[in-house]
Amino acid sequence: SQELEQSPQSLIVQEGKNLTINCTSSKTLYGLYWYKQKYGEGLIFLMMLQKGGEEKSHEKITAKLDEKKQQSSLHITASQPSHAGIYLCGADRSQGGKLIFGQGTELSVKP
Amino acid sequence: NAGVMQNPRHLVRRRGQEARLRCSPMKGHSHVYWYRQLPEEGLKFMVYLQKENIIDESGMPKERFSAEFPKEGPSILRIQQVVRGDSAAYFCASSRRLAGGDEQYFGPGTRLTVT
């Protein structure tokens, strides 16, 4: 079983619609990272969350970490074709530097 | 401010050859991490280095793989006697300090193909 579960695995939305991607860990996290990856390219850093209940926003993307620091959500408001890609959550569970990653959520936005 | 640099971007090797992947961290970053993304699998941690030190190599295969981050120059991930199963995208990331407290930025990756 995955140590970090992402849902859904894939998502197709109409341009302008809102969407949410979830990331769940069975253990408390020291840090939760969200990245975006275009097919065949590197990972683009989006946000890092560390404190329980923390919420961060950048443009139309908002990420939250729950109070128990085991679940995070990424919310995109008024989606655009430029938001398409694979969204990955990564977690630091030991403060040791290494991140474990979920399997990713593939987002398609239809114009 | 240049981001994390990796080269080459694409590397083709025949079975049995050696592969050397290079990573230059972002300016001011002294912590380097290597990850591997295999087809149909997720991104997996391999090794974490600081200058001249290996901090955590728990994700490195026991044989044929080695990594270094010398005092001067880029970090190197070295794969000896490559096999087809080594074909993957290898990503390097860097941070200023422990990832538990700092953002970790990724390079564009090196795509290794073993023929």
Side-chain angles (χ1 to χ4, degrees):
Chain A
S1 64
Q2 289 283 342
E3 295 183 69
L4 209 58
E5 292 279 350
Q6 270 188 251
S7 63
Q9 287 189 4
S10 63
L11 193 53
I12 302 173
V13 299
Q14 200 69 37
E15 183 177 357
K17 295 295 185 184
N18 303 337
L19 65 105
T20 299
I21 299 169
N22 294 300
C23 179
T24 302
S25 170
S26 56
K27 299 179 182 179
T28 299
L29 308 171
Y30 286 98
L32 191 288
Y33 299 69
W34 283 101
Y35 293 91
K36 179 185 173 185
Q37 184 179 27
K38 292 276 194 182
Y39 183 76
E41 298 180 12
L43 279 68
I44 300 168
F45 174 84
L46 295 176
M47 274 170 275
M48 180 183 79
L49 304 165
Q50 287 185 280
K51 300 174 184 174
E54 187 175 9
E55 179 176 321
K56 288 186 177 178
S57 293
H58 178 66
E59 297 180 345
K60 294 185 178 180
I61 300 177
T62 300
K64 300 177 185 179
L65 183 62
D66 74 336
E67 290 289 344
K68 287 185 178 180
K69 295 171 63 176
Q70 288 184 262
Q71 188 163 8
S72 178
S73 60
L74 186 82
H75 185 78
I76 299 177
T77 304
S79 58
Q80 300 169 356
S82 61
H83 287 128
I86 299 170
Y87 288 81
L88 290 161
C89 65
D92 180 353
R93 303 204 308 186
S94 63
Q95 275 190 312
K98 77 180 193 185
L99 300 184
I100 60 165
F101 283 88
Q103 69 271 45
T105 295
E106 186 170 4
L107 172 64
S108 299
V109 180
K110 294 205 172 293
Chain B
N1 185 17
V4 179
M5 311 282 284
Q6 287 189 251
N7 66 81
R9 294 290 305 274
H10 299 274
L11 183 61
V12 179
R13 285 286 179 266
R14 291 186 176 147
R15 278 180 297 171
Q17 291 185 319
E18 178 179 288
R20 281 186 179 236
L21 287 62
R22 286 176 290 279
C23 169
S24 296
M26 284 180 69
K27 188 176 180 180
H29 287 194
S30 59
H31 298 250
V32 165
Y33 316 83
W34 285 94
Y35 294 83
R36 177 166 66 172
Q37 192 171 43
L38 288 161
E40 306 305 320
E41 292 189 23
L43 199 57
K44 303 290 186 187
F45 168 82
M46 298 181 75
V47 63
Y48 163 31
L49 310 104
Q50 291 180 31
K51 287 282 188 182
E52 301 183 279
N53 287 305
I54 295 175
I55 307 302
D56 181 348
E57 56 181 347
S58 58
M60 286 280 268
K62 299 297 180 197
E63 298 176 347
R64 301 186 298 109
F65 285 72
S66 62
E68 62 176 9
F69 189 16
K71 189 176 180 181
E72 300 290 337
S75 175
I76 306 286
L77 180 68
R78 183 182 176 206
I79 311 172
Q80 295 178 289
Q81 299 177 317
V82 296
V83 300
R84 288 227 172 101
D86 296 332
S87 295
Y90 292 82
F91 292 97
C92 164
S94 74
S95 70
R96 283 178 297 180
R97 52 187 174 88
L98 275 182
D102 203 2
E103 296 160 358
Q104 206 171 115
Y105 292 91
F106 280 73
T110 293
R111 276 144 189 89
L112 172 66
T113 302
V114 179
T115 61

